[in-house]
């Protein structure tokens, strides 16, 4: 893929440009939804699931690259910001990022068209909505609507899309799993925006943490570490999820680690929040794998 963009960067360089550490937030909704459908005893189209997984990650990667290009162009990412270094320190040129994003979007779109042919025209609507949202992420982020964007793009859309391609129809009860997955994903963005409050303000943009202030934003981040576990417990009590889904509570120690680090803000300042975006993506992965295991076990026993 990098051959069509530039020969001077390695595959590792291009992979780093996609912020691959964040991919659990796009891959796991597909995997967890498939496990949910398996628990409900639907016939699963495993080929469609595989294509959906690759396509969703491709869209995510394209959105990440395009977002970094916008942040650099707007001056949000600069030498004084806690920023992605590739563009700021000219390891890549802006045009390379823009072309790379286009290739990733095109690849994801091709996969989406194949899935539409296999699963039905309804998927085209979901895919177009996802593509528009991914391409306009910076518009939402700069207007304090990034959290809403993230919940729709990484919670609702992949869940209903996966249901459609895997089972052949949308099981709306699957949205029960979109709540914990979407909230953890919001946590990734929320921490990043909290750390960047001062540099974002200097760049003339607005994010939700900027409007709320640091102290309130840190408290909300801590709430984001708790809500997914409450949501799964409530889902089990109400019957939307099997009780085996409670194995996801084994991720609580990792969430407590994030909470302790965030709580350090009240004594150490904003430095305590740095790196929690990546730790939250890791927590998302641990939680989702446990939830997936619980759903498969519930189907088998």
């Amino acid at each position: 893929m990098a051959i069509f963009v530039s020969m001077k960067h390695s595959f590792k360089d291009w992979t780093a440009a996609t912020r691959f550490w964040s991919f659990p937030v796009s891959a796991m909704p597909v995997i967890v939804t498939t496990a949910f459908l398996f628990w409900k005893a639907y016939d699963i189209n495993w080929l469609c699931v595989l294509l959906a997984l690759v396509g969703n990650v491709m869209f995510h990667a394209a959105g990440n690259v395009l977002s970094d290009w916008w942040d650099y162009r707007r001056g949000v990412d600069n030498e004084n910001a806690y920023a992605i270094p590739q563009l700021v320190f000219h390891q890549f040129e802006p045009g390379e990022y823009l072309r790379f994003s286009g290739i990733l979007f095109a690849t994801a779109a091709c996969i989406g068209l194949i899935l539409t042919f296999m699963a039905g025209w309804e998927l085209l609507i979901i895919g177009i909505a996802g593509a528009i949202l991914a391409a306009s992420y910076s518009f939402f982020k700069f207007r304090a609507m990034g959290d809403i964007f993230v919940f729709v793009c990484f919670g609702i859309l992949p869940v209903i899309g996966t249901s459609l391609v895997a089972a052949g129809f949308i099981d709306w009860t699957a949205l029960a799993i979109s709540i914990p997955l979407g909230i953890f994903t919001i946590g990734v963005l929320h921490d990043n925006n909290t750390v960047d409050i001062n540099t974002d303000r200097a760049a003339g943009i607005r994010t939700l943490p900027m409007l709320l202030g640091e102290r309130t934003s840190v408290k909300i981040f801590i709430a984001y570490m708790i809500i997914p576990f409450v949501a799964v417990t409530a889902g089990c009590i109400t019957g939307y999820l099997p009780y085996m889904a409670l194995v996801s509570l084994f991720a609580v120690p990792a969430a407590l680690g994030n909470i302790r680090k965030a709580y350090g803000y009240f004594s150490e300042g904003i430095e305590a929040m740095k790196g929690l975006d990546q730790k939250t993506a890791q927590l998302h992965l641990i939680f989702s794998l446990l939830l997936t295991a619980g759903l498969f076990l519930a189907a088998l026993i």
Side-chain angles (χ1 to χ4, degrees), residues 248-269:
S248 61
L249 298 183
F250 283 110
V252 166
L256 290 175
N258 283 4
I259 291 172
R260 282 193 296 269
K261 191 173 187 318
Y263 196 78
Y265 164 83
F266 299 103
S267 58
E268 305 169 23

Side-chain angles (χ1 to χ4, degrees), residues 56-290:
N56 209 41
V57 171
M58 282 288 183
F59 264 127
H60 185 192
N64 280 349
V65 174
L66 185 62
S67 173
D68 288 343
W69 178 81
W70 270 113
D71 284 354
Y72 177 74
R73 289 291 299 270
R74 288 288 300 269
V76 177
D77 285 353
N78 56 68
E79 294 183 8
N80 298 317
Y82 186 67
I84 305 298
Q86 284 89 341
L87 288 174
V88 173
F89 297 106
H90 302 288
Q91 297 171 11
F92 284 83
E93 295 305 317
E96 292 177 311
Y97 256 48
L98 191 59
R99 289 190 293 273
F100 186 38
S101 177
I103 290 172
L104 292 170
F105 270 123
T107 303
C110 287
I111 294 173
L113 289 174
I114 292 171
L115 283 171
T116 298
F117 178 77
M118 297 174 69
W121 65 268
E122 296 94 338
L123 185 65
L124 185 61
I125 298 174
I126 298 172
I128 290 174
I132 292 173
L133 287 171
S136 59
Y137 166 69
S138 293
F139 174 89
F140 286 91
K141 174 184 173 182
F142 294 170
R143 290 162 177 80
M145 295 186 289
D147 289 17
I148 297 173
F149 161 89
V150 161
F151 188 79
V152 173
C153 239
F154 295 96
I156 295 175
L157 290 182
V159 168
I160 62 176
T162 301
S163 177
L164 182 60
V165 302
F169 63 96
I170 298 175
D171 182 341
W172 294 102
T173 64
L175 288 176
I177 61 176
S178 72
I179 297 172
L181 300 184
I183 291 296
F184 273 139
T185 307
I186 290 174
V188 175
L189 172 69
H190 188 79
D191 173 70
N192 186 273
N193 287 343
T194 300
V195 170
D196 289 342
I197 284 177
N198 291 330
T199 53
D200 285 349
R201 182 178 290 114
I205 68 171
R206 291 187 304 166
T207 62
L208 185 59
M210 187 187 302
L211 298 179
L212 297 173
E214 286 183 358
R215 294 181 67 86
T216 301
S217 293
V218 171
K219 293 175 182 177
I220 289 176
F221 175 82
I222 291 172
Y224 287 157
M225 297 300 100
I226 299 170
I227 292 172
F229 299 103
V230 175
V232 168
T233 303
C236 293
I237 293 172
T238 57
Y240 284 100
L241 294 172
Y243 278 100
M244 284 300 296
L246 291 176
V247 299
S248 61
L249 298 183
F250 283 110
V252 166
L256 290 175
N258 283 4
I259 291 172
R260 282 193 296 269
K261 191 173 187 318
Y263 196 78
Y265 164 83
F266 299 103
S267 58
E268 305 169 23
I270 200 64
E271 288 293 320
M273 298 297 292
K274 290 185 176 180
L276 276 173
D277 52 354
Q278 294 191 32
K279 288 184 178 295
T280 302
Q282 293 167 4
L283 171 59
H284 188 302
L285 176 61
I286 295 168
F287 174 89
S288 299
L289 288 174
L290 287 168

